[in-house]
Amino acid sequence: MRPLHAEWTKLRTLPSTWWLLAATVILTVAVGAAAAASLTSRVCPSPEACHEDTVKLSLTGVWLGQAACLILGALSMGAEYGTGTIRTTVTAMPVRWRALLSKATALSLLTAGAGVAATLLSLWTAGLILPTNGFESPSLTDGPTLRAAVGSVLVLTLVAVLGLSAATLLRDSAGAITVGLGLLYVVPLLANVLPSPTWQHRVQRWFPMPAGLSVQATKNLARLPIGPWPGLGVLAAYAVGLLAVGAVLFRARDV
């Protein structure tokens, strides 16, 4: 428990940690509220004719909020390389895989807490907005809605671990953030301009953001490029796989 306590102390005493967690909540809720408010009778004559996935719409903000989680994960390791305190860390905790695992655990717990707050507030806010336009409020007692909410929390947590993994591999915060944002946003956007529908489908299935966010869908699941839980599994494979590679390099390097 000592390595975990040490990493917890590092994270909670940094002002940037709380600013980024607050940004995660604010961005997620604000974008979700704006998306819910955009669903009006001018867009759809009636809820029955619209067939809109209001749960996924309410959780749209996760698409942006995950950027703050990625930055938090990258800074949790990259900042130590930037300041040179990584040498103190490995001196105090010579079993390096344990130090990295403790850092990932502390980061995941904090991010998951912010993710729960962001998800619940997004659904609550959408529940206030949607009925004013004639749409039904999302309810956590509904199985698909609960799955989308839990999945959204896991998406935010896994993206933070992805940022940590990239920083461990590259030993640089800026490089890790650049690579992470490119993987999450740039590649899926470029996929939309690909002339081949086959390759568009492959990108949506096998890249972390489009695959991971499929867990939010509650309607028309048969039309998804990949199922909700398998899609989340793709994101988890990226995060955990890169963390494992980072752990091997972290142990093999001098620092």
Side-chain angles (χ1 to χ4, degrees), residues 74-87:
L75 289 177
S76 67
M77 175 61 86
E80 292 202 43
Y81 279 105
T83 59
T85 53
I86 188 65
R87 296 184 180 276

Side-chain angles (χ1 to χ4, degrees), residues 19 58-59 99 110 141 174 192 198 246:
W19 281 114
S58 303
L59 297 172
L110 272 175
T141 58
N192 293 329
T198 301

Side-chain angles (χ1 to χ4, degrees), residues 164-242:
L164 168 64
S165 304
T168 305
L169 286 168
L170 300 176
R171 296 186 287 188
D172 178 66
S173 298
I177 293 169
T178 301
V179 170
L181 292 177
L183 197 60
L184 292 178
Y185 297 108
V186 178
V187 173
L189 288 175
L190 291 177
N192 293 329
V193 301
L194 291 175
S196 171
T198 301
W199 278 103
Q200 290 181 3
H201 187 266
R202 287 173 179 172
V203 169
Q204 292 172 348
R205 282 178 62 89
W206 302 119
F207 276 82
M209 191 187 72
L213 291 180
S214 65
V215 77
Q216 294 180 338
T218 61
K219 294 183 178 181
N220 303 317
L221 301 185
R223 298 182 183 178
L224 294 175
I226 189 170
W229 290 120
L232 188 65
V234 170
L235 174 59
Y238 273 89
V240 177
L242 288 177

Side-chain angles (χ1 to χ4, degrees), residues 146-182:
L146 181 60
R147 184 251 298 151
V150 173
S152 295
V153 174
L154 293 176
V155 165
L156 294 172
T157 304
L158 289 169
V159 167
V161 175
L162 185 66
L164 168 64
S165 304
T168 305
L169 286 168
L170 300 176
R171 296 186 287 188
D172 178 66
S173 298
I177 293 169
T178 301
V179 170
L181 292 177

Side-chain angles (χ1 to χ4, degrees), residues 24-25 27-37 52-66 114-127 130 138-140 142-156 212-218:
T24 300
V25 177
L27 290 173
T28 302
V29 175
V31 175
E52 181 65 48
D53 189 340
T54 54
V55 175
K56 184 176 181 179
L57 191 72
S58 303
L59 297 172
T60 302
V62 173
W63 182 85
L64 187 59
Q66 65 182 350
V116 169
T119 301
L120 292 179
L121 284 173
S122 293
L123 292 174
W124 178 75
T125 304
L130 289 171
S139 174
L140 286 174
D142 182 48
T145 303
L146 181 60
R147 184 251 298 151
V150 173
S152 295
V153 174
L154 293 176
V155 165
L156 294 172
L213 291 180
S214 65
V215 77
Q216 294 180 338
T218 61

